[in-house]
């Protein structure tokens, strides 16, 4: 399998890299790492993002040729014979606008991903669900192809970013011995870990801090019957704090950090519906619940979904169903 994979990569022309909608640190980190790796192989890659990432991820795209997908402006795929699907397991994860583009790509598709239950839409599927991040998987496949000598600081920064953000800074159960060995190697080749932490965690705006303060002080509900914490924010509340993409990222983990809480749910009202984030620990798993009721999915302990209803309707729906998570 890795030999076929390596052959496709060595022979590809103008490869296209894609990742999921609402690109997070692992989506951006693994894409950036893969982009720089392909450059090292003298390829001319391009990264196509379904939408722009949060502002704190933008600096990582600095030396990357990328476009934000726009269905109005057709992307010329005629010269490309390979499309990579990084950090997603189903074509619809790139969002409704870009799904058609990924699905109708005329040449080969290769998935590199760590989400459970990958759908069969790629010609080669490298899916390893026990690995903490797609970024770690990127390192491992480079290693398995015997090409680790190509690793440099730009590739390494992307890998570090993806691992760090998908593991809650190296603390989730998904972290293994390999994760730390890889991190050690990245530091050895010159990746400045503290710069990456600062770029992600020390770039708060006052509005962001105050929105989070408000959400925790005024909007946090602890369920009377279950070890469940909930925060919901309406459009009006988000507007009050001049919400910018990324401002509520990680808030769901704050809920989960409360002693005795095993499931955290965060609801954010958007223009058309509500985006939901779930986190859990111990014996509670959130991905099937997210898939069954909220058109979503994800990992056992970190999942998400959405509705097309307003916040009140969504909250009522959630409250009537939530018992199922605790059976
Ligand atoms: P977040 O809460 O950070 O948006 O998402 C956490 C995880 O849940 C993501 O890594 C992703 O695996 C999954 N996830 C979030 N939203 C969706 C969704 O709409 N569909 C699917 N299939 N997975 C999602
Ligand atoms: Mn990931």
């Amino acid at each position: 399998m890795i030999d076929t994979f390596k052959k496709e990569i060595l022979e590809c022309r103008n490869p296209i890299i894609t990742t999921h909608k609402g690109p997070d640190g692992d989506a951006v980190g693994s894409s950036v790492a893969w982009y720089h790796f392909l450059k090292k192989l003298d390829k001319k890659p391009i990264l196509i993002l379904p939408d722009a990432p949060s502002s704190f991820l933008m600096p990582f795209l600095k030396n990357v040729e990328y476009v934000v997908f726009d269905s109005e402006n057709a992307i010329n795929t005629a010269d490309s014979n390979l499309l990579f699907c990084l950090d997603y397991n189903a074509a619809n994860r790139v969002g409704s606008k870009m799904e058609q583009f990924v699905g109708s790509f005329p040449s080969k598709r290769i998935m590199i991903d760590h989400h459970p239950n990958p759908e069969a839409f790629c010609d080669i599927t490298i899916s390893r669900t026990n690995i903490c991040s797609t970024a770690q998987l990127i390192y491992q496949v480079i290693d398995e192809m015997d090409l680790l000598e190509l690793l440099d600081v730009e590739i390494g920064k992307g890998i570090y970013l993806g691992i760090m953000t998908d593991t809650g800074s190296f603390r989730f159960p998904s972290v293994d011995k390999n994760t730390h060995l890889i991190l050690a190697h990245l530091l050895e080749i010159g990746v400045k870990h503290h710069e990456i932490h600062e770029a992600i965690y020390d770039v708060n705006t006052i509005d962001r801090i105050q929105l989070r303060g408000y959400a925790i002080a005024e909007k946090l509900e602890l369920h009377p019957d279950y070890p469940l914490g909930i925060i919901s924010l309406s459009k009006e509340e988000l507007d009050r704090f001049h919400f910018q993409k990324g401002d509520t990222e990680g808030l769901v983990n704050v809920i989960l950090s409360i002693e005795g809480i095993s499931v955290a749910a965060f609801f954010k009202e958007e223009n058309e519906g509500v985006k939901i984030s779930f986190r859990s620990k111990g014996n509670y798993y959130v991905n099937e619940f997210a898939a069954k009721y909220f058109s979503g999915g994800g990992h056992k302990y970190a999942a998400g979904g959405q509705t097309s209803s307003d916040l009140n309707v969504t909250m009522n729906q959630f409250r009537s169903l939530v018992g199922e998570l605790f059976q």
Side-chain angles (χ1 to χ4, degrees), residues 20 24-27 30 87-88 113-115 131-135 162 166 299:
H20 61 79
D24 56 8
D26 190 31
S30 55
D87 200 40
Y88 67 97
D113 181 50
H114 70 136
H115 292 91
I131 293 183
C132 67
S133 56
T134 300
D166 252 25
H299 310 276

Side-chain angles (χ1 to χ4, degrees), residues 24 93 115 275-279 295-299 302-306:
D24 56 8
R93 291 285 289 127
H115 292 91
K275 181 79 186 94
I276 313 168
S277 286
F278 297 111
R279 298 290 186 274
S295 324
H299 310 276
Q306 54 264 304

Side-chain angles (χ1 to χ4, degrees), residues 19-20 22-32 53-54 56-57 60 87 133 135 157-166 200 249:
T19 190
H20 61 79
D24 56 8
D26 190 31
V28 171
S30 55
S31 298
V32 165
S54 305
F56 51 84
L57 292 171
F60 293 89
D87 200 40
S133 56
K157 271 165 72 173
I159 294 174
Y160 192 98
L161 169 69
I163 296 179
M164 179 184 89
T165 51
D166 252 25
I200 297 299
E249 210 157 296

